[in-house]
Amino acid sequence: MNISIYCGSQTGKNPVYIEKAKELGEQLAKAEIGIVYGGSNIGLMGAIADQALLHGGRVIGIMPEHLQKREVAHLHLTEIYIVDSMHTRKAKMADLADAYIALPGGCGTLDEYFEIFTWAQIGLHTKPVILYNINGFYDALILHFEKMLDDGFIREEQRSILQVATSVDDIFNILSANHDEIIKVANLTK
């Protein structure tokens, strides 16, 4: 099983973001769940990859050629794919994943999250799409989902795609509810 992780190439100003990214990387590795991510060794991206690798995890990076020059590619991953574009990166991450988690990040993180959310909304996949709402980072976005629902721009069944976690335990509970095989590995982390 693999999970695509979308997160910042920066660490953010509050140390809780990097702390929680590392915790997630460690717990996914211990549960033998692979990470698919953007392939960078900086920011939250690098932190989650390093922590998973430190604990024997499987980490697959997908990095577009043009970013390889700006975001230093992680040199110690299980696998790394250098691809031709951001579009190819997102498609490859989607193909390799059984679920998707967005940690705090900037516009790129939101772009990746909303594309995979939209794919679920229009029926291209039924995999879990999780916002990891560390330190209330996504509170305003969650409220905006309610506004979209209230104003008739999404339907209740589309709103139900939004799954929010505030802890690693929440993430494993969401994954367990969606994938029987995760129930077994999630118990290893307890």
Side-chain angles (χ1 to χ4, degrees):
M1 160 160 266
N2 291 318
I3 295 179
S4 276
I5 302 289
Y6 308 127
C7 61
S9 60
Q10 304 296 317
T11 58
K13 291 182 179 179
N14 189 327
V16 72
Y17 299 129
I18 200 160
E19 174 189 317
K20 294 299 182 178
K22 287 179 177 181
E23 178 187 15
L24 180 59
E26 177 181 343
Q27 294 305 316
L28 291 173
K30 288 180 176 180
E32 299 179 4
I33 297 173
I35 293 173
V36 178
Y37 84 118
S40 179
N41 69 358
I42 58 175
L44 294 185
M45 295 170 70
I48 198 166
D50 287 342
Q51 199 67 15
L53 292 166
L54 181 66
H55 291 277
R58 199 174 59 255
V59 182
I60 302 166
I62 317 291
M63 181 168 279
E65 290 175 277
H66 73 279
L67 285 182
Q68 189 178 10
K69 296 176 181 101
R70 285 185 29 204
E71 294 181 312
V72 180
H74 201 298
L75 301 178
H76 305 290
L77 302 176
T78 310
E79 295 177 64
I80 189 160
Y81 296 89
I82 305 299
V83 296
D84 64 349
S85 68
M86 289 296 287
H87 177 74
T88 304
R89 174 199 227 177
K90 291 188 286 184
K92 184 76 170 172
M93 289 177 73
D95 288 344
L96 293 175
D98 301 294
Y100 311 93
I101 302 172
L103 280 71
C107 294
T109 301
L110 289 174
D111 171 58
E112 292 168 325
Y113 171 79
F114 275 113
E115 184 161 336
I116 210 67
F117 183 96
T118 301
W119 289 3
Q121 187 177 2
I122 62 174
L124 296 180
H125 73 83
T126 58
K127 301 170 187 176
V129 180
I130 303 167
L131 273 179
Y132 189 6
N133 191 24
I134 298 169
N135 197 41
F137 183 82
Y138 286 117
D139 285 353
L141 181 59
I142 295 162
L143 284 174
H144 192 71
F145 271 96
E146 296 307 322
K147 176 73 169 161
M148 289 188 289
L149 179 64
D150 291 345
D151 285 356
F153 289 100
I154 61 173
R155 296 182 307 277
E156 184 58 46
E157 66 270 14
Q158 295 168 325
R159 163 57 178 84
S160 69
I161 297 166
L162 176 66
Q163 297 185 70
V164 179
T166 58
S167 68
V168 172
D169 284 343
D170 288 349
I171 289 170
F172 277 103
N173 288 336
I174 292 167
L175 295 174
S176 295
N178 288 277
H179 291 284
D180 291 338
E181 67 270 17
I182 296 178
I183 292 170
K184 296 172 196 149
V185 294
N187 290 328
L188 296 175
T189 65
K190 303 266 187 233

